Amino acid sequence: MATDYYAVLGVRRDASQDEIKKAFRRLARELHPDVNPDPKTQERFKEINAAYEVLSDPQKKQVYDLGGDPSRRRAAARPAASARAASGTSRTSWTRSSARRRSADRARAPAAARTR
């Protein structure tokens, strides 16, 4: 973790969400590419956006404060998708088999029920 996001925004480590937001908005007005077209300023603007993205989200901020990298995604973030991948089935195959079952059920239904 090379970048100190608190220093980028110019706030203390114990700053409130409101202080973080105010610091970001002040810097964003100052460094926005429409206001200041200098390439170095644009890089600084990207840095403050990255810092605000982390510090404004309570979960990312907690990970950052504990020394972790908030941009890394956890492997278990999508358990349903990973469970399907592990079982070798896909959403498409499940949907097709369900459609076949429904079609077969309709074919077995009495004629009076099908005319509704």
Side-chain angles (χ1 to χ4, degrees):
M1 194 167 46
T3 307
D4 181 9
Y5 291 142
Y6 292 101
V8 168
L9 292 179
V11 294
R12 297 181 326 270
R13 286 198 164 275
D14 62 345
S16 69
Q17 288 295 323
D18 193 44
E19 291 171 324
I20 291 170
K21 186 182 213 176
K22 284 180 184 178
F24 168 73
R25 287 187 174 183
R26 178 180 47 78
L27 289 169
R29 272 194 307 268
E30 209 175 285
L31 302 172
H32 195 276
D34 290 343
V35 176
N36 198 338
D38 181 33
K40 289 181 182 177
T41 306
Q42 290 178 6
E43 283 302 312
R44 177 97 167 97
F45 184 73
K46 290 177 185 176
E47 289 175 7
I48 66 165
N49 274 321
Y52 183 69
E53 182 181 337
V54 171
L55 298 179
S56 64
D57 183 347
Q59 291 176 335
K60 289 181 183 179
K61 182 178 183 211
Q62 182 181 16
V63 169
Y64 176 76
D65 288 342
L66 294 173
D69 183 5
S71 62
R72 281 187 58 179
R73 294 181 183 209
R74 295 187 313 175
R78 297 182 63 190
S82 60
R84 274 196 310 273
S87 69
T89 62
S90 68
R91 180 176 288 166
T92 306
S93 65
W94 179 84
T95 304
R96 286 181 185 152
S97 64
S98 296
R100 280 189 224 116
R101 271 196 308 275
R102 285 192 304 268
S103 178
D105 290 345
R106 276 189 241 126
R108 285 188 294 247
R114 280 187 271 159
T115 57
R116 286 192 233 177

Coordinates of all heavy atoms in Angstrom, one line a residue, residues 58-103:
P58 N -17.7 2.6 3.7 CA -17.3 2.1 5.0 C -16.5 0.8 5.0 O -15.6 0.6 5.7 CB -18.6 2.0 5.8 CG -19.5 2.9 5.1 CD -19.1 2.9 3.7
Q59 N -16.9 -0.1 4.1 CA -16.3 -1.5 4.1 C -14.9 -1.3 3.5 O -13.9 -1.9 4.0 CB -17.1 -2.4 3.2 CG -18.4 -2.8 3.9 CD -19.2 -3.7 3.0 OE1 -19.1 -3.7 1.8 NE2 -20.1 -4.5 3.7
K60 N -14.7 -0.6 2.4 CA -13.4 -0.4 1.8 C -12.5 0.4 2.8 O -11.3 0.1 2.9 CB -13.5 0.4 0.5 CG -14.1 -0.4 -0.6 CD -14.1 0.4 -1.9 CE -14.8 -0.4 -3.0 NZ -14.8 0.4 -4.3
K61 N -13.0 1.3 3.5 CA -12.3 2.1 4.4 C -11.7 1.2 5.5 O -10.6 1.4 6.0 CB -13.1 3.3 5.0 CG -12.3 4.2 5.9 CD -13.2 5.3 6.4 CE -12.3 6.2 7.3 NZ -13.1 6.8 8.4
Q62 N -12.6 0.3 6.0 CA -12.2 -0.6 7.1 C -11.0 -1.5 6.6 O -10.1 -1.7 7.3 CB -13.4 -1.4 7.6 CG -13.0 -2.3 8.7 CD -14.2 -3.2 9.2 OE1 -15.2 -3.3 8.5 NE2 -14.1 -3.7 10.3
V63 N -11.1 -2.0 5.4 CA -10.1 -2.8 4.9 C -8.8 -2.0 4.7 O -7.7 -2.5 5.1 CB -10.5 -3.4 3.5 CG1 -9.3 -4.1 2.8 CG2 -11.6 -4.4 3.7
Y64 N -8.9 -0.8 4.2 CA -7.7 0.1 4.1 C -7.1 0.4 5.4 O -5.9 0.3 5.6 CB -8.1 1.4 3.4 CG -7.0 2.4 3.2 CD1 -6.0 2.2 2.3 CD2 -7.0 3.5 4.1 CE1 -5.0 3.1 2.2 CE2 -5.9 4.4 4.0 CZ -4.9 4.2 3.0 OH -3.9 5.1 2.9
D65 N -7.9 0.7 6.4 CA -7.4 1.1 7.8 C -6.7 -0.1 8.4 O -5.8 0.1 9.2 CB -8.5 1.6 8.7 CG -9.0 3.0 8.3 OD1 -8.3 3.7 7.5 OD2 -10.1 3.3 8.7
L66 N -7.1 -1.3 8.1 CA -6.5 -2.5 8.7 C -5.2 -2.9 7.9 O -4.6 -3.9 8.2 CB -7.5 -3.7 8.7 CG -8.7 -3.5 9.7 CD1 -9.7 -4.6 9.5 CD2 -8.2 -3.4 11.1
G67 N -4.9 -2.2 6.8 CA -3.7 -2.4 6.1 C -3.9 -3.3 4.9 O -2.9 -3.7 4.2
G68 N -5.1 -3.6 4.5 CA -5.4 -4.4 3.3 C -5.5 -3.5 2.1 O -5.5 -2.3 2.1
D69 N -5.6 -4.2 1.0 CA -5.8 -3.5 -0.3 C -7.3 -3.6 -0.6 O -7.9 -4.6 -1.0 CB -5.0 -4.3 -1.4 CG -5.1 -3.6 -2.7 OD1 -5.7 -2.5 -2.8 OD2 -4.6 -4.1 -3.7
P70 N -8.0 -2.4 -0.6 CA -9.4 -2.4 -0.8 C -9.8 -2.7 -2.2 O -11.0 -3.0 -2.5 CB -9.9 -1.0 -0.4 CG -8.6 -0.2 -0.5 CD -7.5 -1.1 -0.2
S71 N -8.9 -2.6 -3.2 CA -9.2 -2.9 -4.6 C -9.3 -4.4 -4.9 O -9.8 -4.7 -5.9 CB -8.2 -2.2 -5.5 OG -6.9 -2.7 -5.3
R72 N -8.7 -5.2 -4.1 CA -8.7 -6.6 -4.3 C -10.1 -7.2 -4.0 O -10.7 -6.8 -3.0 CB -7.7 -7.4 -3.4 CG -6.3 -7.3 -3.9 CD -5.4 -8.1 -3.2 NE -5.9 -9.5 -3.2 CZ -5.2 -10.5 -2.6 NH1 -4.2 -10.3 -1.9 NH2 -5.7 -11.7 -2.6
R73 N -10.6 -8.0 -4.9 CA -11.9 -8.6 -4.7 C -11.8 -10.0 -4.0 O -10.8 -10.7 -4.3 CB -12.6 -8.8 -6.0 CG -13.0 -7.5 -6.6 CD -13.7 -7.6 -7.8 NE -13.9 -6.3 -8.4 CZ -14.9 -6.0 -9.2 NH1 -15.8 -6.9 -9.5 NH2 -15.0 -4.8 -9.6
R74 N -12.7 -10.3 -3.1 CA -12.6 -11.6 -2.4 C -13.1 -12.7 -3.4 O -14.0 -12.4 -4.1 CB -13.4 -11.6 -1.2 CG -12.8 -10.6 -0.1 CD -13.5 -10.7 1.2 NE -15.0 -10.7 1.0 CZ -15.8 -10.8 2.0 NH1 -15.4 -11.0 3.2 NH2 -17.1 -10.8 1.7
A75 N -12.6 -13.9 -3.3 CA -13.0 -15.0 -4.1 C -14.4 -15.4 -3.9 O -15.1 -15.9 -4.7 CB -12.0 -16.1 -4.0
A76 N -14.9 -15.3 -2.6 CA -16.2 -15.7 -2.3 C -17.3 -14.6 -2.5 O -18.4 -14.7 -1.9 CB -16.2 -16.2 -0.8
A77 N -17.0 -13.6 -3.2 CA -17.9 -12.5 -3.4 C -19.2 -13.0 -4.1 O -20.3 -12.4 -3.9 CB -17.3 -11.4 -4.2
R78 N -19.1 -14.0 -5.0 CA -20.2 -14.5 -5.8 C -20.3 -16.0 -5.6 O -20.0 -16.8 -6.5 CB -20.1 -14.1 -7.2 CG -20.1 -12.6 -7.4 CD -20.0 -12.3 -8.9 NE -21.2 -12.8 -9.6 CZ -21.3 -12.8 -10.9 NH1 -20.3 -12.4 -11.6 NH2 -22.4 -13.2 -11.4
P79 N -20.8 -16.4 -4.4 CA -20.9 -17.9 -4.2 C -21.8 -18.6 -5.1 O -21.5 -19.8 -5.5 CB -21.4 -18.0 -2.7 CG -22.0 -16.7 -2.5 CD -21.4 -15.7 -3.3
A80 N -22.9 -18.1 -5.6 CA -23.8 -18.8 -6.5 C -23.1 -19.1 -7.8 O -23.2 -20.2 -8.3 CB -25.0 -18.0 -6.7
A81 N -22.4 -18.2 -8.3 CA -21.7 -18.4 -9.6 C -20.6 -19.4 -9.4 O -20.4 -20.3 -10.3 CB -21.2 -17.1 -10.1
S82 N -19.8 -19.3 -8.4 CA -18.7 -20.3 -8.2 C -19.3 -21.7 -7.9 O -18.7 -22.6 -8.3 CB -17.8 -19.8 -7.0 OG -18.5 -19.7 -5.8
A83 N -20.4 -21.8 -7.3 CA -21.0 -23.1 -7.0 C -21.4 -23.7 -8.3 O -21.2 -24.9 -8.5 CB -22.2 -23.0 -6.1
R84 N -22.0 -22.9 -9.2 CA -22.4 -23.4 -10.5 C -21.2 -23.9 -11.3 O -21.2 -24.9 -12.0 CB -23.2 -22.4 -11.3 CG -24.7 -22.4 -11.0 CD -25.4 -21.6 -12.1 NE -24.9 -20.3 -12.4 CZ -25.2 -19.2 -11.8 NH1 -26.0 -19.2 -10.8 NH2 -24.7 -18.0 -12.1
A85 N -20.1 -23.1 -11.3 CA -18.9 -23.4 -12.0 C -18.3 -24.7 -11.5 O -17.8 -25.5 -12.2 CB -17.9 -22.2 -11.9
A86 N -18.3 -24.9 -10.2 CA -17.8 -26.1 -9.6 C -18.6 -27.3 -9.9 O -18.0 -28.4 -10.1 CB -17.7 -25.9 -8.0
S87 N -19.9 -27.2 -10.1 CA -20.7 -28.3 -10.4 C -20.7 -28.6 -11.9 O -21.2 -29.7 -12.3 CB -22.1 -28.1 -9.9 OG -22.8 -27.1 -10.6
G88 N -20.2 -27.7 -12.7 CA -20.2 -28.0 -14.1 C -21.5 -27.6 -14.8 O -21.7 -27.9 -16.0
T89 N -22.4 -27.0 -14.1 CA -23.7 -26.6 -14.7 C -23.7 -25.1 -15.0 O -23.0 -24.4 -14.3 CB -24.9 -26.9 -13.9 OG1 -24.8 -26.2 -12.6 CG2 -25.0 -28.4 -13.6
S90 N -24.4 -24.6 -15.9 CA -24.5 -23.2 -16.2 C -25.9 -22.8 -16.0 O -26.8 -23.6 -15.9 CB -24.0 -22.9 -17.6 OG -24.9 -23.4 -18.5
R91 N -26.1 -21.5 -15.9 CA -27.4 -20.9 -15.8 C -28.3 -21.3 -17.0 O -29.4 -21.6 -16.9 CB -27.4 -19.4 -15.6 CG -28.7 -18.8 -15.5 CD -28.6 -17.3 -15.2 NE -28.1 -17.1 -13.9 CZ -27.7 -16.0 -13.4 NH1 -27.6 -14.9 -14.2 NH2 -27.3 -15.8 -12.2
T92 N -27.7 -21.3 -18.2 CA -28.4 -21.6 -19.4 C -28.9 -23.0 -19.4 O -30.1 -23.3 -19.7 CB -27.5 -21.4 -20.6 OG1 -26.9 -20.1 -20.6 CG2 -28.2 -21.6 -21.9
S93 N -28.1 -24.0 -19.0 CA -28.5 -25.4 -19.0 C -29.6 -25.6 -18.0 O -30.6 -26.3 -18.2 CB -27.3 -26.3 -18.7 OG -26.9 -26.1 -17.4
W94 N -29.6 -24.9 -16.9 CA -30.6 -25.0 -15.9 C -31.9 -24.5 -16.4 O -33.0 -25.1 -16.3 CB -30.2 -24.3 -14.6 CG -31.2 -24.4 -13.5 CD1 -31.4 -25.4 -12.6 CD2 -32.3 -23.4 -13.3 NE1 -32.5 -25.1 -11.8 CE2 -33.0 -23.9 -12.2 CE3 -32.6 -22.2 -13.8 CZ2 -34.1 -23.2 -11.7 CZ3 -33.7 -21.5 -13.3 CH2 -34.4 -22.0 -12.2
T95 N -31.8 -23.3 -17.1 CA -33.0 -22.7 -17.7 C -33.7 -23.6 -18.7 O -34.9 -23.7 -18.8 CB -32.7 -21.3 -18.2 OG1 -32.1 -20.6 -17.2 CG2 -33.9 -20.6 -18.7
R96 N -32.8 -24.1 -19.6 CA -33.4 -25.0 -20.7 C -34.1 -26.2 -20.1 O -35.1 -26.6 -20.6 CB -32.3 -25.4 -21.6 CG -31.8 -24.3 -22.5 CD -30.7 -24.7 -23.4 NE -30.2 -23.6 -24.2 CZ -29.0 -23.5 -24.7 NH1 -28.2 -24.5 -24.5 NH2 -28.6 -22.5 -25.3
S97 N -33.5 -26.8 -19.1 CA -34.1 -28.0 -18.5 C -35.4 -27.7 -17.8 O -36.4 -28.4 -17.9 CB -33.2 -28.8 -17.6 OG -32.8 -28.0 -16.5
S98 N -35.5 -26.5 -17.2 CA -36.7 -26.1 -16.6 C -37.8 -25.8 -17.6 O -38.9 -26.2 -17.4 CB -36.5 -24.8 -15.8 OG -35.6 -25.0 -14.7
A99 N -37.4 -25.2 -18.7 CA -38.4 -25.0 -19.8 C -38.9 -26.3 -20.4 O -40.1 -26.4 -20.7 CB -37.7 -24.2 -20.9
R100 N -38.1 -27.3 -20.5 CA -38.5 -28.6 -21.0 C -39.5 -29.2 -20.0 O -40.5 -29.8 -20.5 CB -37.3 -29.5 -21.2 CG -36.6 -29.3 -22.5 CD -35.5 -30.3 -22.7 NE -34.3 -29.7 -23.2 CZ -33.2 -29.7 -22.5 NH1 -33.0 -30.4 -21.4 NH2 -32.2 -29.0 -23.0
R101 N -39.2 -29.1 -18.7 CA -40.1 -29.7 -17.7 C -41.5 -29.0 -17.8 O -42.5 -29.6 -17.8 CB -39.5 -29.6 -16.3 CG -38.7 -30.7 -15.9 CD -38.5 -30.8 -14.4 NE -38.0 -29.5 -13.9 CZ -36.7 -29.2 -13.9 NH1 -35.8 -29.9 -14.4 NH2 -36.3 -28.0 -13.3
R102 N -41.5 -27.7 -17.9 CA -42.7 -26.9 -17.9 C -43.5 -27.3 -19.2 O -44.7 -27.5 -19.2 CB -42.5 -25.4 -17.9 CG -42.1 -24.9 -16.5 CD -42.2 -23.4 -16.5 NE -41.3 -22.8 -17.5 CZ -40.0 -22.4 -17.3 NH1 -39.5 -22.6 -16.1 NH2 -39.4 -21.8 -18.2
S103 N -42.8 -27.4 -20.3 CA -43.5 -27.8 -21.5 C -44.1 -29.2 -21.4 O -45.2 -29.4 -21.9 CB -42.5 -27.8 -22.7 OG -43.1 -28.2 -23.9

